Amino acid sequence: MKINANFRALKESYLFSTVGAKFTAYQKAHPEKRVIKLSIGDVTRPLAPVVVSAMERAAREMGDAATFRGYGPDATCYAYEPLLEAVRARYARRGIALGSHEIFISDGAKSDLSNLLDLFSAENTVLVPDPVYPVYVDTNIMAGRRILYAAAVRENGFLPLPDAKVHADIVYICSPNNPTGAAYDRAGLQAWVDYAVREDAVILYDAAYEAFIEGGLPHSIFEIEGARECAIEICSFSKTAGFTGIRCGYTVIPDSLKREGVQLCKMFARRQSTKFNGVSYITQMGAAAAFSEEGERQILENIAYYKQNAAKIGAMLDAHGIYYTGGKHSPYIWMQCPKGMTSWEFFDALLERACVVGTPGSGFGKNGEGYFRITAFATKENTAEACRRMGDFLDSL
Ligand code: MLT
């Protein structure tokens, strides 16, 4: 037999595994030190009370023969109506009408970003921004697709626009962006939709951080004219409602999105019925509660908490004259490394001298070199302590 040789083209380990291993090794070697982790975007606020109550209620139903459930309904790829209705209502509040057959409930955006690739030939060319969430790159390397990069640099506000001379079949957009925190406005997204329509491409729009958007920026690609004919939106309860451990996400594939005469939502439904058995009833009821009126109020309190952390980190960097972006529409701060340090030099120095861990920008791509990503998802106390330590460290340089 032969293994999938495409795996040979991958980096030895996934970025967040590499960073996590370095953190663990350092902590083991220095048990007396308390290292603060501002690296992977993992939430720390507890679940909203309405979510907990809904999950308790759902667990009790599962413990009663009269209300026990086995597999979810297969007509909707195992999605329960209350969650479909909650997702439809959230989109409707933005003026977007969705049918249940256009919504797919999953165990999270990371899985669906990969699952969706089953719909596309390995011969397609993929366009990703650089720097980029490594999942877009790794999943396509595993499938053997050709990958092109659009430079996301300070000069374009980390928001590349399409280049008419470059053809791609699959275009990844993440807005607000991971790792840079930059968010597209309507004109920027319209340019990408127009490009996709012209090139017969499909946009995979990662909206995992949409709940962090402030003001009038678009939350969904479907706010843009023409997007229903060229885009798929992938979203998650992880960062929106603290579900990184619970696991729940949703993907929207409009029924008007067709390629070679085939509706992609039908293809995906076919894929899911073969390869997926749904998300637990208890989880789905918790997710539905997160998008209720009271749920949205409670989850916004947690988002405001993280934004206060982001503001604190930003103020510390401002006080030291360090350039950064993000933190406004996003939980990530993308800072320039001081004194011309490379990303990994800064990572090592910050760990050694301040006992703070972040994510080296170069791990997200070559344009990330010289940058560093800090997450605002830690507790308020740890963020304040990390800022104090980072500030002292920057003063000492
Ligand atoms: C990140 O730190 O970029 C995210 O936590 C990764 C993810 O959501 O999978």
Side-chain angles (χ1 to χ4, degrees):
M1 66 79 75
K2 287 186 174 168
I3 61 162
N4 178 351
N6 296 321
F7 275 64
R8 297 191 198 281
L10 290 170
K11 288 195 186 124
E12 197 173 314
S13 102
Y14 180 56
L15 172 63
F16 296 107
S17 311
T18 309
V19 171
K22 279 189 179 259
F23 160 80
T24 307
Y26 186 85
Q27 188 69 87
K28 202 168 160 203
H30 303 277
E32 74 292 355
K33 294 188 179 170
R34 192 172 72 82
V35 183
I36 299 177
K37 227 175 147 184
L38 303 183
S39 45
I40 193 159
D42 197 4
V43 292
T44 52
R45 298 299 298 150
L47 294 173
V50 280
V51 171
V52 176
S53 307
M55 292 179 85
E56 281 172 351
R57 254 191 328 272
R60 274 194 297 274
E61 284 178 45
M62 294 297 270
D64 181 337
T67 46
F68 171 78
R69 289 168 171 83
Y71 292 122
D74 52 16
T76 50
C77 290
Y78 318 109
Y80 287 96
E81 184 49 33
L83 179 52
L84 290 172
E85 174 50 31
V87 172
R88 275 200 307 265
R90 188 166 166 94
Y91 276 88
R93 288 193 278 281
R94 306 221 160 89
I96 301 162
L98 294 179
S100 294
H101 61 292
E102 298 175 305
I103 303 168
F104 296 86
I105 302 301
S106 74
D107 66 333
K110 186 177 177 182
S111 311
D112 262 2
L113 281 161
S114 162
N115 297 338
L116 282 163
L117 294 179
D118 278 1
L119 309 190
F120 306 113
S121 158
E123 285 159 29
N124 287 315
T125 297
V126 174
L127 180 65
V128 300
D130 171 7
V132 61
Y133 177 42
V135 168
Y136 310 160
V137 172
D138 287 358
T139 49
N140 280 292
I141 290 178
M142 289 175 192
R145 283 190 196 87
R146 176 168 171 250
I147 303 174
L148 305 175
Y149 294 86
V153 289
R154 188 168 170 178
E155 291 67 35
N156 61 17
F158 300 97
L159 295 168
L161 290 172
D163 177 345
K165 296 186 293 300
V166 174
H167 169 76
D169 304 297
I170 301 171
V171 177
Y172 284 84
I173 300 175
C174 177
S175 182
N177 186 264
N178 180 12
T180 67
Y184 279 101
D185 62 12
R186 258 160 235 282
L189 290 184
Q190 189 70 63
W192 279 113
V193 166
D194 293 346
Y195 169 88
V197 169
R198 224 171 31 242
E199 299 291 325
D200 198 34
V202 170
I203 294 174
L204 297 183
Y205 189 78
D206 182 348
Y209 300 94
E210 62 82 13
F212 288 79
I213 289 174
E214 288 177 10
L217 295 178
H219 285 247
S220 164
I221 189 79
F222 301 119
E223 291 175 52
I224 307 301
E225 206 183 316
R228 283 188 62 97
E229 278 68 48
C230 69
I232 294 176
E233 182 156 294
I234 302 102
C235 209
S236 164
F237 288 88
S238 286
K239 317 296 158 96
T240 303
F243 273 47
T244 52
I246 304 277
R247 308 305 313 154
C248 195
Y250 49 98
T251 286
V252 176
I253 311 180
D255 55 13
S256 45
L257 174 57
K258 294 183 193 153
R259 288 296 179 268
E260 298 187 45
V262 180
Q263 282 181 295
L264 298 195
C265 64
K266 287 208 172 138
M267 278 179 85
F268 197 59
R270 183 68 185 82
R271 187 242 175 240
Q272 293 299 77
S273 59
T274 301
K275 293 196 178 181
F276 187 58
N277 259 338
V279 175
S280 83
Y281 175 70
I282 299 170
T283 297
Q284 292 198 43
M285 292 306 103
F291 281 175
S292 65
E293 205 180 317
E294 178 57 15
E296 290 211 332
R297 199 192 59 70
Q298 292 180 7
I299 60 180
L300 278 175
E301 277 175 17
N302 284 349
I303 287 170
Y305 174 103
Y306 297 131
K307 286 207 170 166
Q308 279 168 18
N309 287 345
K312 196 162 188 67
I313 298 165
M316 179 272 297
L317 295 173
D318 281 336
H320 289 83
I322 304 261
Y323 169 81
Y324 68 93
T325 180
K328 182 170 162 59
H329 304 293
S330 153
Y332 298 125
I333 284 102
W334 182 246
M335 62 170 280
Q336 193 154 40
C337 298
K339 308 273 176 201
M341 285 178 168
T342 67
S343 303
W344 278 108
E345 280 167 359
F346 186 66
F347 174 94
D348 288 333
L350 194 66
L351 177 56
E352 288 282 340
R353 292 170 52 192
C355 284
V356 172
V357 178
T359 309
S362 55
F364 296 98
K366 90 173 164 28
N367 287 320
E369 182 56 280
Y371 285 90
F372 197 72
R373 195 195 77 174
I374 304 175
T375 159
F377 282 126
T379 62
K380 184 169 91 181
E381 295 74 19
N382 277 348
T383 304
E385 174 60 13
C387 284
R388 191 192 60 71
R389 293 186 198 173
M390 272 185 86
D392 289 350
F393 167 62
L394 292 170
D395 281 338
S396 73
L397 291 174

